[in-house]
Amino acid sequence: MKTPMEQLLLSPMSKLYKEHIGFIKAKNVEGLLDQYTEDLLLISTLTENRQPLYIRGRQQLKEFFESRIFSLEDLEVSLNQWAETENTLMMVESLKTRSTDGVVSEMSFYDNWVLRDGKIAIHFAGVVQYPDGSYA
């Protein structure tokens, strides 16, 4: 018998999400870029100073993934919340990672996507709870 979260992950939007996580784990930047529109906007609070970072277009997105996200190793993701419509997705995840310098981090993270023509046009990504236990 499937849990409620497993049932949700049978939805059409879940295919895009599962591919997204797979591309991150494989460090497949081209696969990730293909999931986004050309004029994408990503707003991320996964920054050292906890101030939002605005990423526009695929070139900036490529640099973001290569410099920040692909430095994470052993990414483990578990979903805490999931809500979707035909063109939007909201989720909260628990993440456990190890950086390339060996530091293990655990945090709660949110992702919100707005799709246009099946691709991510707007992506809000940020921390709910930081590795030090503090909340955003």
Side-chain angles (χ1 to χ4, degrees), residues 65-77:
F65 277 114
E66 290 177 341
S67 67
R68 293 177 181 262
I69 305 304
F70 291 166
S71 67
L72 304 174
E73 302 287 338
D74 302 330
L75 177 65
E76 296 177 26
V77 180

Side-chain angles (χ1 to χ4, degrees), residues 44-47 107-110 125-131 134-136:
S44 175
T45 59
L46 185 57
T47 60
M107 66 183 85
S108 292
F109 198 77
Y110 68 86
V127 178
V128 175
Q129 185 176 22
Y130 289 91
S134 65
Y135 288 93

Side-chain angles (χ1 to χ4, degrees), residues 75-124:
L75 177 65
E76 296 177 26
V77 180
S78 59
L79 288 166
N80 300 326
Q81 291 182 324
W82 179 278
E84 67 178 89
T85 67
E86 184 179 337
N87 294 309
T88 60
L89 175 62
M90 180 200 75
M91 70 200 103
V92 177
E93 306 144 305
S94 293
L95 303 178
K96 184 176 180 179
T97 66
R98 182 177 51 83
S99 64
T100 52
D101 60 2
V103 176
V104 175
S105 296
E106 294 185 41
M107 66 183 85
S108 292
F109 198 77
Y110 68 86
D111 277 304
N112 299 318
W113 296 346
V114 178
L115 277 59
R116 185 173 65 236
D117 299 323
K119 294 190 180 263
I120 304 166
I122 302 171
H123 183 173
F124 298 95

Side-chain angles (χ1 to χ4, degrees), residues 15 23 29 37 53 63 70 87 109 124 136:
K15 180 179 183 235
F23 290 143
V29 74
T37 62
L53 177 64
E63 293 166 7
F70 291 166
N87 294 309
F109 198 77
F124 298 95

